[in-house]
Amino acid sequence: MSKQRPAPYEFADDLPLGGVEPGTNLLVAGPTMGGARRLALRLVTDGSDRGEGLLLVSTDKASSKILSECDGLCPDLGRSPLGVVDCVGKGSGRGRFADGVETVSSPGDLTGIGIEFSGLYQNIHRSGTERVRAGLYSLSTLLMYADFQTVSRFVHTVSGRIAATDGLGVFLVDPATQDEKVISTMTQLCDARVDVRAHDDGASELRVRGLRDQPQDWTAF
């Protein structure tokens, strides 16, 4: 008897994205203030109303701030097993999610981030949750604190773990802060790339490279 194929990870109806297969890693590339960060957060928090586990790595904001962002995007955030790796080193003010927050002293401590990420990932699975959405916000910050090769190995390890456990990975990067070689390598380490751009009127658009049945042309969201 053949094993049943796991269901794809789905997104909110107002996003022009179809479901993606478990084990997929997405690179969201675009300006942080131009809709890319909000989109990257939504791709993870959209799983909360589906009973999926959520794991966030925050490299530039304290856990309380990123959780507040996510809470605004998903009022039902507390319904799912949740973990946060706080790389800013500020462990206070974590509120009702305190039990799921682990602190690392600096975004440059990739070994520490990896250890805490693995521990929280295991905890979510031990809770009986098989499907986990994980987001790293952002690679641009990691590249300010660690060299390119070290960050590349880290992304390779994390994305490999997500792929091996049928999770969904979302990595955020701002192409304007990195050279073409860096962005090209990070794209290769993921299964697909979601480009985001913003217009002067505040509207945002996206397009997807690397996955079939997704918007290939710029599409408003």
Side-chain angles (χ1 to χ4, degrees), residues 30 38 41 55 75 100 105 115 119-120 122 132 138 142 145 151 159 167 194 206:
R38 182 179 177 86
L41 287 171
L55 180 50
S105 61
I115 291 172
L120 289 170
Q122 290 175 359
V132 181
S138 72
L142 294 187
Y145 285 83
V151 175
S159 62
V194 183
L206 64 79

Side-chain angles (χ1 to χ4, degrees), residues 107-167:
D109 182 9
L110 297 186
T111 299
I113 296 172
I115 291 172
E116 300 300 352
F117 178 91
S118 296
L120 289 170
Y121 207 93
Q122 290 175 359
N123 288 343
I124 292 174
H125 276 288
R126 288 195 191 106
S127 73
T129 305
E130 296 182 359
R131 295 165 64 87
V132 181
R133 301 189 186 210
L136 195 154
Y137 316 107
S138 72
L139 295 179
S140 300
T141 307
L142 294 187
L143 289 161
M144 293 172 58
Y145 285 83
D147 64 81
F148 169 58
Q149 294 297 335
T150 302
V151 175
S152 296
R153 289 193 296 269
F154 173 78
V155 174
H156 176 73
T157 300
V158 171
S159 62
R161 182 181 184 86
I162 292 168
T165 53
D166 285 340

